[in-house]
Amino acid sequence: MTEGEKQANEQKPRSLAKRLAVACVCVVASPFIILLLLMVLLYVPPVQRWAVRTATRIASEQTGWDIGLEEVRLKFPLDLDLRRLYVLTPDTMLSVGSVTVGVDCAHILKARLGVRAIDIQDATLDTQDLIASLRVRGYIGDFHLNADCIDLKEQTVDLTAASLRGSAVSLELQDTTVVDTTESEPVEWTIRLGKVEVRDTRVAFHMPGDTMSVSGYVSRLGIDGGNLDLGRGVYEVGSVGLRANALAYDMNYEPYLLGLDYNHLFLSDVTAAVRDVRYAGDSLSLYLTDLCAQEKSGLRLSQLRTHFLMTDEGISLRDLRLATPYSLATASATLDWDALEAGGAGNLKAELSLSVGMGDVAIVLPEYASLLPDAPLEVEASATGNVDRLALESLSLS
């Protein structure tokens, strides 16, 4: 046997092993290659259109709903753009002009997601009879949301920013005797708020039978900082600012009266600022730093400020200051709920300093305007006690 033949015989096992190794690698890698190709195909517009038609058809058949989606775009890595989406059910109507979702999956292996943006534009919602006791109707002009981190393991959400503009929302309570007895799983999520803003939005609330309604036009509502612990039921907000062009309160079946009509209030040029809001079950505390408004009767609230605290034991108002162009009131008061029950051990303590200008009285009681003196009414008073015994410790009128 020649030297060349020996070398050829030695190379045959090697080449066979090499081919077997390549074949094994191809077999193992082929599912991943196919999966990668499918993922790449999802970024091709014709494949996206086919996937949309198939998905909406299957969803409609499975749910019995009328679901439509005209266009979808998926951009690398996970930016999803939906156009002209609608869902019609026997109970609900939803129509959305466009939805854009950008997801950051850099930490997905740590069970963390980042939402670079959720943008919703030109959306209409009508829940009709979906919720037994409440109907929600509205239009969303533009909604934007950023959540830097959604931790699926720790159940926390860092909501960096959210905004709503050019929208309208109506909440209508319904007459119903249906009681929802469905047991739901407890929600343990915690949401940390950054900045939340609502601009140029109409809001409305209606009681059953439209007996009472509250409506308004919010030019700006801003929330800065907060923590919403859904598991413990503790909700904290750093600060809230409000500017509203109009707020209306109406008892719709009550007649209209001259002067200050308590059943039909209409406020304009409303501004409000609140800090350190905390609600936890049976307690609520906040610091109202400022509230101003103009009522249609001519009564103007120049300032309202107070520290407010309500618990299951009582209620407290500290450093209350109320001012109008004609009048000024300062007060502090604490009231134990037990003080309102006969034989209770609770107590009331209140101090009041009041200067009432006749200009305000003439607005509230216009029929007596010609009988009022020019000088303001000055009142200084303090009281303690309860429903069984109330002591007027001091009283001064001038």
Side-chain angles (χ1 to χ4, degrees), residues 35-78:
L35 179 61
L36 181 61
L37 289 174
L38 290 175
M39 293 176 62
V40 172
L41 285 174
L42 287 177
Y43 292 93
V44 179
V47 176
Q48 290 176 354
R49 288 192 289 270
W50 171 83
V52 167
R53 290 193 301 269
T54 303
T56 54
R57 176 178 56 80
I58 293 175
S60 297
E61 292 174 353
Q62 294 294 323
T63 62
W65 301 348
D66 185 4
I67 302 175
L69 178 60
E70 185 170 320
E71 183 180 357
V72 63
R73 289 287 184 268
L74 181 62
K75 300 177 182 178
F76 186 83
L78 278 179

Side-chain angles (χ1 to χ4, degrees), residues 20-223:
L20 287 174
V22 171
C24 289
V25 170
C26 291
V27 169
V28 173
S30 59
F32 298 98
I33 295 173
I34 293 172
L35 179 61
L36 181 61
L37 289 174
L38 290 175
M39 293 176 62
V40 172
L41 285 174
L42 287 177
Y43 292 93
V44 179
V47 176
Q48 290 176 354
R49 288 192 289 270
W50 171 83
V52 167
R53 290 193 301 269
T54 303
T56 54
R57 176 178 56 80
I58 293 175
S60 297
E61 292 174 353
Q62 294 294 323
T63 62
W65 301 348
D66 185 4
I67 302 175
L69 178 60
E70 185 170 320
E71 183 180 357
V72 63
R73 289 287 184 268
L74 181 62
K75 300 177 182 178
F76 186 83
L78 278 179
D79 288 346
L80 182 64
D81 187 9
L82 308 178
R83 297 296 175 95
R84 291 172 287 282
L85 165 69
Y86 70 86
V87 179
L88 297 177
T89 78
D91 299 316
T92 305
M93 185 276 290
L94 172 65
S95 172
V96 182
S98 67
V99 180
T100 303
V101 181
V103 180
D104 181 5
C105 297
H107 303 287
I108 187 65
L109 295 180
K110 297 181 181 179
R112 295 178 183 174
L113 292 175
V115 178
R116 291 193 301 274
I118 295 179
D119 291 295
I120 301 175
Q121 295 178 333
D122 192 23
T124 302
L125 172 68
D126 186 352
T127 62
Q128 300 178 31
D129 298 323
L130 178 65
I131 306 172
S133 59
L134 178 66
R135 181 178 185 179
V136 180
R137 291 191 290 178
Y139 169 78
I140 296 176
D142 182 81
F143 174 77
H144 177 81
L145 181 145
N146 287 98
D148 281 349
C149 180
I150 302 175
D151 194 319
L152 305 177
K153 183 178 180 181
E154 298 296 329
Q155 294 187 317
T156 60
V157 178
D158 289 331
L159 184 60
T160 312
S163 65
L164 178 68
R165 297 170 182 265
S167 304
V169 179
S170 175
L171 306 177
E172 303 172 12
L173 291 180
Q174 308 282 358
D175 272 324
T176 179
T177 57
V178 178
V179 178
D180 188 0
T181 59
T182 304
E183 294 185 3
S184 58
E185 292 292 328
V187 179
E188 301 294 340
W189 284 80
T190 297
I191 303 173
R192 292 186 283 265
L193 297 179
K195 293 184 179 296
V196 179
E197 186 178 63
V198 178
R199 284 186 177 272
D200 304 324
T201 295
R202 298 184 182 277
V203 294
F205 173 80
H206 300 269
M207 290 293 287
D210 205 27
T211 55
M212 187 270 284
S213 62
V214 179
S215 60
Y217 183 85
V218 177
S219 54
R220 183 184 183 277
L221 171 66
I223 297 175

